[in-house]
Amino acid sequence: MGYKTIVEDNIDILVAGAGLGGTGAAFEARYWGQDKKIVIAEKANIDRSGAVAQGLYAINCYMGTRFGENNPEDHVRYARIDLMGMVREDLLFDMARHVDSAVHQFEEWGMPIMRNPKTGAFLREGRWQIMIHGESYKPLVAEAAKKSADKVFNRICVTHLLMDEAKENRVAGAVGFNVRTGNYHVFKSKAVVVGAGGASNIYKPRSVGEGAGRVWYAPWSSGSAYGLLIGAGAKMTQMENRIVLARFKDGYGPVGAYFLHLKTYTQNGLGEEYESKWFPALEEMVGKRYLDVEASHVSHRPIPTCLRNHAFINEVNAGRGPIHMVTMEAFQDPHLEEIGWHNFLGMTVGQAVLWAATDVDPKYENPELTTSEPYVMGSHATGCGAWCSGPEDVSPDEYFWGYNRMTTVEGLFGAGDAVGGTPHAFSSGSFTEGRLAAKAACKYIDDGKAEGIRVSDEQINRRKEEIYKPMEHYKIYRNEITAGTVNPNYINPRQALDRLQKLMDEYAGGVTVSYMTNEKLLNIGLKKMKTLEEDLEKIAAENIHELLRAWEVKHRHLTSEAVIQHTLFRKETRWPGYYYRGDAMKVDDDNWHVLTVSRRDPQTGEYTMEKAPLYHIVEE
Amino acid sequence: MHIDKVTRRAYNIEPNMCWECYSCVKACPHHAIDVRGYADFAPLGHSVRVKRDEEKGVIAWRIKFRNGKKDMDLLAPITTKPWGQYIPQLADVPAPSQDQRDSQLLFNEPKYIRMDDGDIHTLKSNGLKMVEGVEAY
Ligand SMILES: Cc1cc2nc3c(=O)[nH]c(=O)nc-3n(C[C@H](O)[C@H](O)[C@H](O)COP(=O)(O)OP(=O)(O)OC[C@H]3O[C@@H](n4cnc5c(N)ncnc54)[C@H](O)[C@@H]3O)c2cc1C
Ligand code: SF4
Ligand code: SF4
């Protein structure tokens, strides 16, 4: 195959995937490593890549410490309550104490952040969210990353991390291919920050056919952050903690601004309030520690998102759907109506397209909501990701092994979706985590920890062969095509994705089973996952574009297997409304007030699972 | 996006992996790309069009409903400053001291992270500690 091998050598810091986390890392690395070689390898073009491609209408994580609004520990408590206790509070505290500095810099760079005319503070949408005109959020942070990086390689799908052959369990760079030219790219680097984003499309989406890409999280979020890290043998945490979202039906338009700013609310198909009637039973199921209906009423303690989903799902299953968002009141105010539309144009254009196409004018008609298929990503309101070291001045011993945001593989760092246990980071928190990882990575290099790295040609050539294997496989077997895509000796990437989505849906708690699973189902799922893994060795790619899809589905597969392993391990229903273990329907604090940690042996593919202690921040 | 050499038109090679993110629509200098909502659930006859202008720092939208009853123009700012000029070049700012390297601070901090511009929050400064187990919840 006529593809060139292009080697980029002597890199100090390689940023693999430059969304919000990666751009933060590239930007900050230049400050602590002014003489260092900083390189970005990105699957798309960093100007519009990642979950923020469309822009955002809100920054969901901002303390406002400067305006006396919140302290970092307040945000930790909020995230802890929302996730039923299961978070890494050291990492969260650390993110929260830095995040405001990122947000104020965005404003200095030119991001239009709305202000409260009375107080002069940023205009609040909710306690943690501020409102922005963020259509150009991603181009703006990309500009900052470009100023700092020595080189930006756009259109590189990173497939594997390179491992050092002088010292075990140490990273040495990454490899991938250009999705346009097909060329093989080798990046030899002392440290790597993985910011390759979370996973959409591992569960069968509600969307079908031509609209199958209209999912909530971006369809190009291929679980690569997890696939790369799991593939390198890094430990992962909380991978069972997938998220389900209540969103506007079909368009997946977000509801945050509607609830918080426009003060819209939900009701069932009969026009009734329905949430509160499910709460007493829920209180029994999860225990008063996590849902105390009476106390919540008095103290306005937030109700965990998963529990509100539970009410939604049960109300619909009881036959009283659809659930509507009551917009007709708020939208009578022309100012609020305009905000309602801007909110979608700024971050989910497809919802505006859908309302225009279906003549749904929220001023005169309350739009339908639905609950989405599950997603796996650790920067939104859920905590999947790598088991990373925290900062030395906050973390207890079990959470600390040297460098902030470093995974259990030496020199390998994470940011954003890649880091586990840090929900509610969102865009600003992901950017902040990138900055933290970059500073730590510079220190790692300055401390001499990356000395003597060795990467053999054998490793580089082995990976090359592996990467292009789907194209070779296609060439060998294409004559056996019986019709269209039917072939006895291979599957194509779409077929592999369909199989993955179907089995995740049916065995690991997707929409068609109302998020229900159990040990038996999960074990069948794992078995099917293994045979899918075998078939992924026979995946065929007709061209470079299909090769991209082939590697995306391989990363999604690694992510999904981790999800099943973790779901199997945690024998309780910790987050009703995200998923249910039918064989263990209650929260079980005696056994499971812990974090789950896994490692997949890169040589054998075997999983080992362990429990890690859960620390909470309390008053001295 | 690929170009059809016969009709000389660009087209989306994989609509079922399109997010309707409009990045391609915004990027085309000739406003040649149109979006038609997905056939599965979006009836024909609507239109959402956009023009993004980095120089002027604005984005303009026009939304037309299928039934023709609503036709909206919406305008939003995308930046408040000349594009990119206010982002610092960190290679040229004074290098951090060893003290800063050993501290928990990031570039430009402690600016913005405290009400009093004091030092960074720590568990100690905020009167906190970490305790293991469910009793601490
Ligand atoms: C619809 C939606 C609405 C949201 N709303 C808000 C909001 O209102 N406010 C808010 O603060 N946050 C919001 N978020 C969350 C926010 O966007 C994410 O938390 C944040 O973008 C995560 O950052 P990240 O760097 O981990 O991932 P991303 O920003 O997704 O970046 C991942 C990057 O990795 C690249 N990549 C992927 N695979 C590879 C590979 N194999 N090789 C190389 N590169 C690769 C991608 O192209 C991308 O550039 C929203 C997200 C979505 C999807
Ligand atoms: S709208 Fe977005 S996802 Fe769809 S083709 Fe254009 S750039 Fe790609
Ligand atoms: S950028 Fe616009 S004009 Fe140029 S090829 Fe693409 S669609 Fe055609």
Side-chain angles (χ1 to χ4, degrees):
Chain A
M1 228 160 284
Y3 299 126
K4 282 193 266 190
T5 297
I6 297 164
V7 182
E8 191 69 30
D9 213 342
N10 297 317
I11 304 170
D12 290 293
I13 295 179
L14 174 70
V15 175
L20 263 286
T23 52
F27 168 72
E28 186 81 14
R30 179 54 72 218
Y31 183 60
W32 304 99
Q34 285 180 324
D35 54 352
K36 289 191 169 45
K37 181 168 173 185
I38 303 159
V39 170
I40 292 174
E42 158 64 44
K43 179 169 80 171
N45 182 314
I46 66 168
D47 283 347
R48 283 287 174 190
S49 66
V52 185
Q54 317 196 43
L56 292 177
Y57 199 66
I59 286 176
N60 282 353
C61 182
Y62 172 72
M63 300 303 115
T65 313
R66 187 180 179 71
F67 301 115
E69 293 175 336
N70 297 290
N71 275 330
E73 61 271 26
D74 301 323
H75 189 259
V76 174
R77 280 189 207 107
Y78 162 67
R80 172 205 296 166
I81 289 173
D82 194 49
L83 272 290
M84 308 288 284
M86 309 285 112
V87 292
R88 273 283 298 274
E89 301 195 6
D90 60 329
L91 297 176
L92 280 175
F93 182 85
D94 190 34
M95 186 268 290
R97 66 180 169 169
H98 290 288
V99 72
D100 286 12
S101 105
V103 174
H104 282 272
Q105 285 181 81
F106 294 159
E107 193 191 36
E108 284 182 358
W109 299 347
M111 178 184 285
I113 304 186
M114 299 179 213
R115 294 246 178 197
N116 181 329
K118 280 194 216 113
T119 63
F122 291 148
L123 183 64
R124 282 284 178 194
E125 180 181 293
R127 181 165 178 191
W128 309 107
Q129 302 82 352
I130 55 173
M131 297 178 63
I132 61 174
H133 288 289
E135 189 278 336
S136 294
Y137 197 159
K138 189 65 216 293
L140 188 72
V141 294
E143 203 67 45
K146 284 191 274 190
K147 270 205 169 151
S148 279
D150 289 283
K151 276 189 180 176
V152 179
F153 288 84
N154 284 317
R155 310 284 173 201
I156 305 291
C157 173
V158 177
T159 55
H160 303 86
L161 294 163
L162 282 173
M163 299 305 285
D164 178 25
E165 285 159 83
K167 187 164 186 247
E168 215 178 310
N169 196 40
R170 187 164 73 165
V171 80
V175 296
F177 63 95
N178 186 303
V179 303
R180 292 268 165 86
T181 64
N183 289 336
Y184 178 51
H185 282 260
V186 179
F187 302 92
K188 294 189 187 174
S189 184
K190 294 195 174 112
V192 181
V193 181
V194 171
S200 67
N201 274 311
I202 69 174
Y203 280 85
K204 181 153 112 189
R206 288 195 188 271
S207 307
V208 296
E210 184 188 274
R214 178 93 288 273
V215 288
W216 168 69
Y217 219 60
W220 44 81
S221 295
S222 47
S224 290
Y226 310 128
L228 291 170
L229 296 173
I230 294 169
K235 286 188 178 177
M236 307 300 286
T237 188
Q238 296 298 102
M239 293 299 286
E240 72 279 22
N241 187 197
R242 81 296 302 266
I243 187 174
V244 169
L245 304 112
R247 287 291 180 267
F248 285 102
K249 188 173 179 298
D250 296 336
Y252 291 81
V255 296
Y258 278 73
F259 279 133
L260 298 168
H261 191 76
L262 307 181
K263 305 279 185 253
T264 64
Y265 55 92
T266 58
Q267 53 186 212
N268 68 13
L270 307 172
E272 304 160 344
E273 189 278 332
Y274 63 90
E275 260 189 358
S276 58
K277 75 177 168 226
W278 294 102
F279 288 158
L282 255 179
E283 193 180 278
E284 293 247 308
M285 196 171 156
V286 300
K288 255 196 172 16
R289 183 175 283 131
Y290 301 104
L291 179 64
D292 186 331
V293 181
E294 224 159 283
S296 286
H297 203 72
V298 180
S299 67
H300 296 287
R301 179 186 149 115
I303 308 260
T305 311
C306 60
L307 302 184
R308 302 189 62 186
N309 279 355
H310 174 87
F312 188 133
I313 295 161
N314 280 276
E315 188 69 9
V316 170
N317 286 350
R320 287 184 292 270
I323 303 299
H324 283 121
M325 182 72 103
V326 182
T327 51
M328 282 163 63
E329 294 161 18
F331 272 58
Q332 297 310 316
D333 176 340
H335 175 64
L336 293 184
E337 182 188 16
E338 199 174 315
I339 289 179
W341 282 98
H342 271 302
N343 181 59
F344 289 143
L345 296 174
M347 61 180 168
T348 313
V349 191
Q351 189 68 50
V353 174
L354 181 68
W355 283 349
T358 47
D359 293 327
V360 169
D361 184 346
K363 197 171 171 180
Y364 304 112
E365 182 177 343
N366 295 326
E368 276 177 66
L369 298 179
T370 190
T371 51
S372 76
E373 58 283 355
Y375 291 81
V376 181
M377 98 299 276
S379 70
H380 209 272
T382 181
C384 319
W387 184 241
C388 289
S389 176
E392 61 180 330
D393 69 325
V394 178
S395 305
D397 290 349
E398 294 95 328
Y399 295 174
F400 179 73
W401 48 92
Y403 297 93
N404 204 351
R405 265 68 179 181
M406 190 170 86
T407 67
T408 53
V409 174
E410 282 179 54
L412 180 58
F413 296 78
D417 287 329
V419 177
T422 56
H424 293 279
F426 293 104
S427 60
S428 46
S430 297
F431 188 87
T432 301
E433 277 197 319
R435 298 179 67 195
L436 292 166
K439 181 180 179 186
C442 287
K443 188 164 164 27
Y444 168 87
I445 295 167
D446 293 339
D447 288 350
K449 300 284 180 178
E451 296 295 309
I453 286 179
R454 195 160 50 80
V455 180
S456 66
D457 287 348
E458 187 277 327
Q459 185 179 172
I460 290 172
N461 293 334
R462 176 162 46 87
R463 288 302 186 200
K464 182 175 186 181
E465 217 167 281
E466 204 179 332
I467 288 174
Y468 295 103
K469 193 171 153 198
M471 297 188 84
E472 283 299 322
H473 201 79
Y474 176 80
K475 267 213 299 215
I476 296 169
Y477 291 106
R478 68 181 157 199
N479 291 337
E480 293 172 30
I481 296 173
T482 55
T485 53
V486 183
N487 189 304
N489 281 305
Y490 68 62
I491 54 171
N492 69 25
R494 183 72 227 183
Q495 291 164 334
L497 185 66
D498 287 340
R499 188 177 328 159
L500 178 73
Q501 292 181 347
K502 181 173 161 66
L503 85 85
M504 287 302 286
D505 177 67
E506 292 170 353
Y507 296 100
V511 286
T512 67
V513 295
S514 269
Y515 314 104
M516 181 62 76
T517 185
N518 62 35
E519 190 173 315
K520 282 216 160 62
L521 287 162
L522 289 164
N523 275 319
I524 300 172
L526 269 187
K527 205 169 140 200
K528 292 188 182 234
M529 205 59 111
K530 270 280 165 251
T531 47
L532 175 57
E533 192 176 333
E534 287 167 27
D535 280 5
L536 286 178
E537 291 299 311
K538 299 181 192 158
I539 198 165
E542 189 177 345
N543 49 42
I544 287 294
H545 182 67
E546 281 205 345
L547 190 64
L548 165 70
R549 296 295 186 228
W551 280 100
E552 287 180 339
V553 76
K554 282 170 185 259
H555 287 167
R556 284 191 166 102
H557 173 268
L558 279 171
T559 307
S560 305
E561 190 185 32
V563 171
I564 299 190
Q565 290 281 3
H566 276 252
T567 311
L568 196 53
F569 185 58
R570 184 183 283 284
K571 286 194 182 53
E572 61 163 356
T573 298
R574 172 60 57 171
W575 304 274
Y578 287 169
Y579 74 92
Y580 303 86
R581 278 275 311 244
D583 49 351
M585 282 295 275
K586 289 198 165 191
V587 166
D588 175 7
D589 267 338
D590 292 341
N591 294 301
W592 292 101
H593 199 86
V594 292
L595 297 169
T596 56
V597 177
S598 68
R599 181 171 184 274
R600 178 186 177 276
D601 185 315
Q603 261 70 51
T604 63
E606 292 292 319
Y607 262 85
T608 38
M609 302 294 312
E610 57 184 307
K611 294 178 178 179
L614 192 46
Y615 281 86
H616 297 299
I617 289 180
V618 298
E619 312 264 304
E620 187 78 73
Chain B
M1 288 283 168
H2 278 190
I3 308 263
D4 183 323
K5 296 215 172 74
V6 181
T7 61
R8 292 169 46 80
R9 282 183 166 205
Y11 66 99
N12 184 341
I13 56 167
E14 210 182 359
N16 67 359
M17 273 287 169
C18 166
W19 203 29
E20 282 184 344
C21 78
Y22 272 63
S23 294
C24 56
V25 182
K26 293 168 187 171
C28 170
H30 299 289
H31 310 296
I33 303 178
D34 222 347
V35 174
R36 185 264 290 134
Y38 307 112
D40 314 278
F41 48 84
L44 300 171
H46 59 282
S47 130
V48 174
R49 306 212 68 189
V50 65
K51 224 167 139 179
R52 179 177 179 274
D53 190 332
E54 240 168 51
E55 293 259 295
K56 294 199 188 115
V58 291
I59 187 159
W61 296 89
R62 183 164 182 195
I63 304 176
K64 282 197 261 185
F65 271 46
R66 168 184 163 87
N67 63 12
K69 283 199 187 147
K70 220 173 174 87
D71 184 342
M72 277 184 293
D73 284 306
L74 290 143
L75 191 74
I78 59 171
T79 179
T80 59
K81 307 235 167 112
W83 193 254
Q85 287 177 26
Y86 284 78
I87 298 169
Q89 175 47 268
L90 297 186
D92 302 336
V93 304
S97 65
Q98 194 54 43
D99 268 3
Q100 278 172 297
R101 287 181 187 278
D102 293 339
S103 78
Q104 293 294 328
L105 297 175
L106 296 174
F107 165 69
N108 208 31
E109 291 181 351
K111 199 175 177 190
Y112 297 132
I113 57 174
R114 287 281 290 235
M115 210 165 159
D116 53 7
D117 280 340
D119 204 357
I120 190 155
H121 289 267
T122 62
L123 292 181
K124 202 154 167 251
S125 74
N126 293 15
L128 306 164
K129 60 179 177 182
M130 294 198 88
V131 179
E132 191 200 330
V134 68
E135 285 73 33
Y137 181 81

